[in-house]
Structures are given as structure tokens and as C-alpha cells.
Amino acid sequence: MHEAVEGAHMLTQGTTRWSEVGATSATMNAVSRDSDRWRDNTADDDQDRPLSFFAGTWPRTNVVDAGASVIVTAEVPGLTRDDVTLALSGNVLIVSGERALKVPQSYAVHRQERTQAKFSRTVTLPYEVAEDRTSASVEHGVLTVTLHKAPHEEGV
Amino acid sequence: MVWSNVVSILWHKLRGSSADERADIPVVSHAAPVEWLADGPVTTPPIDVFESDREFVVHADVPGATPERVVVSCDDRGQLSLWVKRSSLPRGIAYSIEYQAQTWHRGLTLPEAADRRAASAELANGVLTIRIPKRPRRRSGVVRRQA
């Protein structure tokens, strides 16, 4: 079982690069926002900050079948449970929410690489799960959802 | 997929916690030990850098990091560096893996105006925040050329 995880690591080494691509896109967004700001003369207006076009890949999500349960984890730095909505239907879990990063007033921006996004990720689980046995937490910027098999899936 | 039976999960119904943890991180004068490099790939975390009249602020996204695995250093030459290690994944069959155990590293050169010895750092909800106050301006800093 452990080998499967190790193997998956090797296969997905490249995906860690997405953070860098996302960072680049955030920088490009910042550049385009700054030029818009210059054109429209709307200083200090955060409303027009474009949301990342990598929203479909944020937050990065892992799905691991731990035997008795399936564990879904997602990287949501800076977010708390109030910022994340979970929806469940059969064997599909949807994680959604919004991460809006405000520049504090009277601060100049030198770098802005962190992703801000309205996000929604759909996770297909290996089996249907029992909603009432689901638990979830957000700790250290990581969302962890633990789901258990639905009664009619037991022993399958 | 029929979505008529979608159940929106309300957090208060769920078991589990959401600790709003906040921990001070000491800023040391030496960089992280080399053995930190040995474990997993090293990547750069995305950062935001802001500046006000009084301070510089650096925010870095390091989800999954715990305080004891963060090293922030700032030496006399103004080299600020952060090292963060994230531990491994839960054991089991991997259905979909988009991130893994890793080490984050980022180095920044602080400007002259920064008070290097007064830097402070804090880790909260997977975001590392480093604040470096500015030195008070000295009048003698202006050099006038003699006519």
C-alpha cells in the first residue's frame, strides 16, 4: 500500500511546479492590474483585482484511500473553516470558497505571488460515503476531510 | 450526475476542529542546517512583499507547516532566508496526489532601511509572516557635495 503512494510521488513530481506557474500568473495579474490602475486612475481599489485563472487547480488536493476511510486534503493557507464550503453527493465531494488577499492600507506592493481565487474543486471518491460519519478540519492551512464508506458499500 | 440530492455540509454539524493557531518563530542569525536539504524536493513558496513608512512585511504560503519545522534567519548583511519543511502524507492508496512532503526555501536581500536585528516572524494558519521594521532616519544620511 505504501509503495503506491511512493510511486505516485514520482509520477507527480512535476505537479509541484504548478505553484510556480501560479505564482507567475499572479505576478502577471499584478502587472496587468497595475497598468489598469494607471490607466483608470483607481488607486487603492482592491475590487478590480483579477482572480487567478488557475482557480481550477487551486487548492492542490490529495485523495488517499487509507483503508477504513478515504482522506481528502487540500492546501488552503490563510483560510479557516468559515472560508470553505463542502458539498457531498454520493461519491462526489465539492470543496469551494474564496480566498481574497487584501493589501493593507498605506502599504506599497513589491511582490504579489500568492494566489487569490474563487475556487471550486470536485473530487470523485472511490466509493459512496456516509454523510453522517464525515469529519473535517482546517489546521495549519490544510483542509482535511475524512469520509467513511456508506453502509450499502460495506464489504464490497 | 444528478444534483438534486446534494448535501451541503455545515461545519457546525461536522466533527473536527479549526484551531486558529498562531505561533511566534524566532529569527536567528544563521541559516538552516544543511540536513534540511536532504529530505524531499526544495521549491519556492509564493510570497507577497509589502512596505509601509515603518516596516517591510513578507507573507509566505506554507500550508501544512508547523512552528518547529520553520527556520527564519537574518544575518548582518541583510540576507533574509526562510526554510520550511512539511511532513509526509497519510499512508494508503494514492488516488490523486497533487502535492507531497517537501522543503520550501526563499531568500531575500533586505534594503538598507531595514533594521535587520529587529525582524520578527509568526506562523498562523499555514502562512508565515515576517516583519522587518525600518530604521529611524538619520539626518546625517544626507551627504552634500561641497561647492
Side-chain angles (χ1 to χ4, degrees):
Chain A
M1 273 164 81
H2 191 212
E3 277 176 22
V5 176
E6 299 274 306
H9 282 185
M10 292 179 66
L11 283 172
T12 55
Q13 288 256 349
T15 54
T16 57
R17 302 254 168 216
W18 279 106
S19 71
E20 287 151 42
V21 177
T24 308
S25 94
T27 308
M28 292 190 315
N29 282 346
V31 168
S32 95
R33 185 190 62 253
D34 287 346
S35 62
D36 287 349
R37 199 172 268 180
W38 172 75
R39 194 169 58 236
D40 304 336
N41 196 21
T42 55
D44 294 331
D45 184 7
D46 265 347
Q47 300 300 314
D48 62 343
R49 267 177 90 155
L51 295 166
S52 167
F53 50 74
F54 281 93
T57 61
W58 200 93
R60 294 193 295 187
T61 304
N62 285 349
V63 185
V64 173
D65 185 352
S69 59
V70 59
I71 301 166
V72 178
T73 56
E75 297 178 312
V76 289
L79 300 190
T80 62
R81 57 195 279 170
D82 299 329
D83 303 316
V84 180
T85 303
L86 302 173
L88 190 61
S89 174
N91 68 333
V92 175
L93 173 73
I94 298 177
V95 180
S96 61
E98 180 172 2
R99 187 195 197 203
L101 298 170
K102 293 258 180 196
V103 179
Q105 273 206 332
S106 76
Y107 277 76
V109 176
H110 290 293
R111 270 176 190 278
Q112 208 165 28
E113 301 169 354
R114 299 194 298 152
T115 302
Q116 60 163 358
K118 272 187 183 135
F119 60 88
S120 176
R121 296 224 44 187
T122 304
V123 177
T124 307
L125 306 167
Y127 40 71
E128 290 203 11
V129 295
E131 182 215 336
D132 55 343
R133 292 183 66 205
T134 300
S135 64
S137 66
V138 180
E139 269 179 275
H140 304 299
V142 175
L143 167 73
T144 303
V145 188
T146 307
L147 308 111
H148 294 268
K149 273 187 185 179
H152 66 268
E153 294 259 16
E154 300 268 5
V156 175
Chain B
M1 173 58 61
V2 180
W3 285 106
S4 56
N5 58 342
V6 168
V7 179
S8 243
I9 299 179
L10 299 171
W11 281 95
H12 61 81
K13 278 170 64 183
L14 285 175
R15 285 172 292 129
S17 67
S18 177
D20 185 24
E21 66 285 293
R22 198 167 283 274
D24 288 329
I25 307 289
V27 178
V28 296
S29 57
H30 49 84
V34 171
E35 53 263 31
W36 274 55
L37 288 167
D39 193 11
V42 179
T43 54
T44 55
I47 59 169
D48 287 354
V49 181
F50 304 140
E51 176 187 355
S52 78
D53 296 341
R54 285 176 302 173
E55 61 172 0
F56 297 92
V57 184
V58 179
H59 299 287
D61 282 349
V62 288
T66 49
E68 66 276 11
R69 310 191 94 190
V70 176
V71 175
V72 178
S73 72
C74 187
D75 69 13
D76 285 342
R77 291 167 301 159
Q79 295 297 315
L80 178 75
S81 91
L82 61 95
W83 292 90
V84 182
K85 250 164 86 159
R86 171 167 64 184
S87 54
S88 53
L89 302 161
R91 295 279 171 87
I93 298 166
Y95 274 92
S96 166
I97 302 295
E98 295 175 355
Y99 66 87
Q100 58 186 316
Q102 68 183 102
T103 303
W104 281 291
H105 167 60
R106 195 85 189 227
L108 294 166
T109 305
L110 295 175
E112 196 60 34
D115 188 350
R116 290 149 193 179
R117 294 180 185 189
S120 64
E122 176 188 273
L123 182 71
N125 299 320
V127 177
L128 177 64
T129 300
I130 305 169
R131 292 178 187 277
I132 311 105
K134 287 184 173 176
R135 288 199 183 111
R137 276 190 197 160
R138 291 174 300 176
R139 264 181 233 153
S140 58
V142 180
V143 178
R144 290 180 197 280
R145 189 180 287 179
Q146 296 292 319

